[in-house]
Amino acid sequence: MADEKNTAVMSRASSLHGEKDVSGFNSPFKSPSVNDVDIGTTQTLRQDEGEVFGATGEGHVDFRTVGWVRAAVFLIKQTFATGVLSMPSAMYYLGGATSAIFIIWWGVINTYSAYIQGHYKLAHPKMHTIIDGAEMSVLHLSGGSKFWSKTAKYVTEIMYIVSVRTYSFQDVTRSSVGLACPLGPRHRMWLLCVGLAVLAIGTSLNAITKHGTCTVAFNVIAAVVSTATGSIRKIHGLGIILWIGFVSAIVSVLMVVIGVAIRSRPAYAPQTGPYDLGFQAAPPVGTTFAQAWAGSIAIFASSANTCGYIPVMSEMRRPQDYFRSLYVSAAFVNSAYISLAMVLYAYAGKWVTSPSLGSAGPTIKLAAYAVALPGLIAVGMICVHVPAKTLFVRVLRNSDHLTRSTKTHWVVWFSCTTSCGVLGWLLAVGIPFYTSLVSLIGSLGFGPLGVVVPPLLWFSLHVEYRKGSIREQGLWWAHVGMLVMGLFLTVGGTYANISNIIDQFHEGKVGRAFSCADNSATTVGG
């Protein structure tokens, strides 16, 4: 009987995965073993768990219609935006060569984090977000403790819904200890992301119209547009806007990079006489560890939104193809960071501006903002859609309303999108030091969600590795190191942002709520 049970379990696993190695190459991952399933008395490793959107057939909405190409574009648009233009502000403290090393290093770490989550999702089809993964993995690792699993769930849920990845190499402000706190329009995870998208779209409208009306009015328009587009029910339906946004972001970035490269000197550098470009291979003399570390975590966070990838995987026709989307996205984003950011750093150096689209001068700034607007709207759409979908699944999970177009289905869906849009807008315009607050909350989120939780998922899939062969024990300790690194990132980022907020209050740089002031003014030096 035991053999028959084991054979049935492995048969279900084979059916689920559809192929022996879903990642496309040999790796330390494998489908959870029979022993894992048997150990998981809390039912955390059952291979027959149903997909969150698994109900199909007559009367049901088929959410799982996304192909791997569209998924790749979604992942790229989540990660890549105009904030790449501000990367030289972080590179200045690291130097060109060191920055390239960190871009590759953190790119690999963040891609691997997404890779772990993908494998865990294949083993647990009911996983919709990393919140589910944190709960199930802790339940398994703690021997079935409901207390610890629920604690992990609620802590992760707060970080995921409320928190935001805030480091995007734009609007770099420096604290008294020299820490860089980069902020910008390409922030993720997720509710505060709505507010940042609202601010970014408002800034764009201000720049295009030369402050044609009160900024609050522009922010209202931004919130309405973001909520309306984010209310498209299925990720597949976001495809056209994603493609347009993707192209607009690329074109606007190229406009600025080319505009900077063809000038004899940076637009905001002294136009006569000698000047310091600020470009060098190694960190400049006098750079402190704090400054270099701030630049490093800024580069890390440029692609640290991997916890937002699993909801996309949940709506793919073939979840196994998620890895194709991941590799394409990671290759594009990190190649763009190295090439575009390095060119801008070589030609603009420390004279990059904030907002970064102004780095090539006022004329190109106006044109670039006009071209970038669809991309910023796509960011707002994503920032509304993802947290709304998370809340939607949370409310209707395990009910027939989740995949049926009932009145309850639509009321809950539009309530989720509208509440996310309105709350994001209120936070953005109502808190005078909003971007600094977002940065602080984000520092408490991106490290744990991007680097701490994924090793827990890996441990849950490979419980036996702790006492396995030398190779398996080595892999186990390597993931312990990854977890510790995530904790270090969290502490370092929190310290940097608290220092920055204190400095802003001391220097009188805190604005006021519901301000009509123009927020598109160009500031040199990030």
Side-chain angles (χ1 to χ4, degrees):
M1 292 295 294
D3 290 340
E4 292 178 0
K5 176 184 176 182
N6 293 345
T7 300
V9 168
M10 296 310 293
S11 176
R12 288 195 300 269
S14 299
S15 175
L16 171 66
H17 287 269
E19 53 192 69
K20 184 176 181 180
D21 184 4
V22 295
S23 66
F25 59 86
N26 293 327
S27 74
F29 284 93
K30 58 182 179 61
S31 301
S33 66
V34 175
N35 289 334
D36 290 334
V37 177
D38 292 339
I39 291 172
T41 56
T42 57
Q43 297 184 342
T44 60
L45 289 179
R46 287 179 54 200
Q47 293 292 328
D48 56 352
E49 295 170 315
E51 285 277 359
V52 63
F53 295 120
T56 58
E58 185 178 355
H60 289 277
V61 180
D62 187 5
F63 281 90
R64 296 175 58 192
T65 57
V66 179
W68 75 267
V69 175
R70 185 164 301 196
V73 174
F74 195 97
L75 301 186
I76 291 172
K77 195 67 195 79
Q78 280 194 56
T79 310
F80 179 86
T82 58
V84 67
L85 297 174
S86 309
M87 194 177 289
S89 297
M91 287 181 166
Y92 176 74
Y93 291 104
L94 296 171
T98 310
S99 296
I101 292 172
F102 273 114
I103 290 172
I104 295 172
W105 166 255
W106 288 125
V108 170
I109 294 295
N110 289 327
T111 302
Y112 184 61
S113 171
Y115 179 80
I116 294 175
Q117 294 175 61
H119 276 275
Y120 199 84
K121 164 68 176 174
L122 287 179
H124 302 270
K126 73 176 183 180
M127 176 183 177
H128 179 244
T129 66
I130 200 168
I131 301 168
D132 302 323
E135 179 184 16
M136 290 187 288
S137 62
V138 171
L139 184 65
H140 182 214
L141 295 171
S142 64
S145 171
K146 293 287 187 179
F147 172 79
W148 289 115
S149 65
K150 291 301 180 184
T151 298
K153 173 184 177 180
Y154 295 135
V155 170
T156 305
E157 190 167 43
I158 291 172
M159 289 189 294
Y160 184 86
I161 296 294
V162 179
S163 183
V164 59
R165 178 174 59 77
T166 56
Y167 297 95
S168 72
F169 313 121
Q170 182 161 317
D171 303 336
V172 179
T173 57
R174 294 164 179 85
S175 71
S176 58
V177 294
L179 288 169
C181 175
L183 302 170
R186 45 182 301 283
H187 302 64
R188 307 288 184 267
M189 293 187 311
W190 282 110
L191 184 55
L192 295 179
C193 163
V194 179
L196 290 166
V198 165
L199 290 179
I201 296 171
T203 300
S204 179
L205 293 174
N206 260 324
I208 294 169
T209 65
K210 297 184 179 179
H211 193 44
T213 188
C214 175
T215 297
V216 174
F218 283 140
N219 289 338
V220 170
I221 295 172
V224 171
V225 172
S226 297
T227 302
T229 54
S231 294
I232 297 173
R233 183 170 51 169
K234 296 163 59 176
I235 287 179
H236 186 271
L238 306 178
I240 298 299
I241 302 175
L242 284 172
W243 277 108
I244 295 173
F246 172 68
V247 173
S248 80
I250 294 294
V251 173
S252 63
V253 168
L254 289 175
M255 286 173 63
V256 176
V257 171
I258 294 172
V260 170
I262 63 176
R263 298 182 65 95
S264 59
R265 59 176 62 199
Y268 293 95
Q271 297 303 299
T272 59
Y275 72 99
D276 178 20
L277 177 61
F279 175 81
Q280 49 195 334
V285 177
T287 299
T288 65
F289 174 79
Q291 291 171 326
W293 176 243
S296 173
I297 61 174
I299 292 175
F300 156 73
S302 68
S303 55
N305 59 317
T306 55
C307 71
Y309 288 7
I310 296 305
V312 181
M313 185 179 179
S314 297
E315 295 191 35
M316 293 183 69
R317 285 193 296 268
R318 277 180 44 85
Q320 296 90 342
D321 290 340
Y322 160 81
F323 297 98
R324 293 184 184 180
S325 305
L326 172 63
Y327 300 150
V328 170
S329 170
F332 176 86
V333 169
N334 289 291
S335 297
Y337 283 162
I338 290 178
S339 57
L340 297 177
M342 198 63 68
V343 170
L344 190 63
Y345 179 43
Y347 286 95
K350 65 181 181 181
W351 300 98
V352 67
T353 64
S354 170
S356 58
L357 288 176
S359 297
T363 302
I364 293 182
K365 171 186 173 180
L366 179 63
Y369 263 119
V371 173
L373 185 57
L376 297 177
I377 291 174
V379 170
M381 175 187 71
I382 293 172
C383 289
V384 169
H385 185 92
V386 174
K389 184 66 70 68
T390 301
L391 294 173
F392 176 71
V393 171
R394 175 72 184 274
V395 173
L396 296 182
R397 192 167 209 160
N398 299 324
S399 81
D400 200 44
H401 297 293
L402 180 64
T403 57
R404 286 186 181 273
S405 296
T406 62
K407 181 179 178 180
T408 299
H409 174 101
W410 286 112
V411 168
V412 171
W413 172 240
F414 286 123
S415 297
C416 291
T417 57
T418 302
S419 60
C420 287
V422 172
L423 288 174
W425 172 79
L426 283 174
L427 290 170
V429 301
I431 300 177
F433 56 98
Y434 179 72
T435 52
S436 296
L437 175 65
V438 168
S439 188
L440 173 61
I441 297 175
S443 67
L444 295 171
F446 74 79
L449 294 177
V451 189
V452 174
V453 175
L456 297 180
L457 307 183
W458 190 91
F459 292 143
S460 178
L461 291 176
H462 302 88
V463 174
E464 74 282 6
Y465 274 35
R466 185 178 180 182
K467 296 181 180 180
S469 65
I470 295 178
R471 173 183 173 275
E472 291 173 342
Q473 291 186 46
L475 288 169
W476 193 88
W477 282 107
H479 287 81
V480 171
M482 183 177 176
L483 188 150
V484 172
M485 181 172 60
L487 296 175
F488 186 60
L489 284 167
T490 303
V491 173
T494 302
Y495 170 64
N497 286 287
I498 290 177
S499 298
N500 180 61
I501 292 175
I502 292 174
D503 287 345
Q504 284 192 345
F505 274 99
H506 287 166
E507 297 170 9
K509 294 182 178 180
V510 176
R512 59 188 180 88
F514 298 96
S515 173
C516 280
D518 186 2
N519 61 356
S520 66
T522 298
T523 303
V524 179

